[in-house]
Amino acid sequence: MTDNAKNRKKLVEHLVNQGYIQTEMVKKAMQAVPREEFIPLEQKPYAYLDRPLPIGEGQTISAPHMVAMICEELSLEEGMNVLEIGAGFGYNAAVVAELVGPTGHVYSMERIEKLVHIARDNLKRTGYAKTVTVILGDGSLGLPDHAPFNRIYVTAAAPHIPEPLKDQLAVGGKLVIPVGSPDSYQELILIEKISENEFKNINLGGVAFVPLIGEQGW
Ligand code: SAM
């Protein structure tokens, strides 16, 4: 076993002990994705610390416990059509691809062109290119051409829950999004679409994400 594989196993066990990973599916998915392939060279020694890491452009890759928590809250299943807002370097999308693939699909939107190219390269090199499509654009407006989505998750903090995302969610679908201030504290909200115009919101607690920049963002 390589050092990275050993450290990954240790991190996953830590996340299980901390209660962030609750299902065998999420455990297997996080065990499968090499996080070191989704971060800049100078950050590689820190790949298996449970913390966010800088990826340039003032952005970050989310901490592993946050990725685990989002995946668990979304109750992902094979075959689902998923929309991610905020691809970054592509790590979270790869973990979700493990859960919904090979028959499901992840559309991941990113507003910074340089990150779109890096995420695509990372996903291609690690074998996720068929299951994940990275798209350049303002994800606060969603991706109507590929809607409805069974699951939508936003990895940047919004001032409110964008209506286009609620519209593009399938009935029975789930949306996870941090809502709150752009520079410090937000609350992670889980929204379940009960019927075309009925939603149930659950507050999952405090988080700290970079801001969602766009028409329905900051
Ligand atoms: N999902 C990433 C991961 O795997 O760790 C984390 C991404 S980072 C926390 C948030 C990303 O959201 C940044 O790359 C940022 O450029 C992007 N972003 C912010 N506003 C956006 C928008 N309106 N549309 C698409 N991407 C956006």
Side-chain angles (χ1 to χ4, degrees):
M1 214 188 249
T2 62
D3 280 354
N4 277 324
K6 273 187 215 154
N7 291 338
R8 183 155 64 244
K9 196 161 183 278
K10 259 181 145 167
L11 173 66
V12 168
E13 276 160 15
H14 169 75
L15 297 176
V16 170
N17 292 335
Q18 294 280 306
Y20 290 108
I21 294 180
Q22 293 167 1
T23 60
E24 201 52 42
M25 270 182 78
V26 172
K27 184 177 174 188
K28 264 178 79 179
M30 293 204 55
Q31 189 61 67
V33 181
R35 191 170 186 248
E36 73 275 11
E37 297 291 337
F38 293 88
I39 54 180
L41 196 59
E42 66 279 9
Q43 298 296 332
K44 296 215 190 257
Y46 315 113
Y48 292 104
L49 297 182
D50 185 18
R51 55 156 115 125
L53 296 171
I55 56 171
E57 310 293 316
Q59 304 302 323
T60 53
I61 172 174
S62 300
H65 74 268
M66 193 47 62
V67 174
M69 188 174 165
I70 290 174
C71 288
E72 292 289 7
E73 292 297 340
L74 287 173
S75 328
L76 294 155
E77 288 170 21
E78 197 197 326
M80 283 182 167
N81 190 35
V82 180
L83 177 64
E84 174 185 63
I85 316 298
F89 264 34
Y91 173 72
N92 203 338
V95 175
V96 173
E98 282 286 335
L99 291 156
V100 303
T103 55
H105 202 84
V106 185
Y107 293 93
S108 181
M109 298 193 69
E110 174 53 59
R111 60 177 281 274
I112 300 176
E113 190 168 1
K114 188 174 166 195
L115 297 181
V116 169
H117 295 300
I118 294 173
R120 280 185 190 146
D121 285 350
N122 291 344
L123 290 158
K124 190 170 176 199
R125 197 179 55 254
T126 48
Y128 296 102
K130 275 198 181 138
T131 319
V132 184
T133 307
V134 184
I135 294 167
L136 176 67
D138 177 6
S140 75
L141 299 173
L143 192 61
D145 287 355
H146 294 280
F149 297 99
N150 304 109
R151 302 291 185 261
I152 300 176
Y153 65 102
V154 185
T155 65
H160 58 263
I161 302 163
E163 281 301 316
L165 300 187
K166 288 166 78 177
D167 291 344
Q168 291 168 38
L169 195 60
V171 171
K174 293 182 179 187
L175 159 64
V176 169
I177 180 167
V179 179
S181 124
D183 51 17
S184 54
Y185 179 84
Q186 305 105 27
E187 275 160 351
L188 193 64
I189 310 291
L190 167 68
I191 297 119
E192 292 181 32
K193 188 162 180 172
I194 313 289
S195 69
E196 268 316 324
N197 42 27
E198 227 184 322
F199 296 86
K200 184 176 145 197
N201 290 11
I202 300 169
N203 188 335
L204 302 174
V207 288
F209 278 85
V210 296
L212 181 75
I213 309 289
E215 215 168 292
Q216 293 283 323
W218 296 99

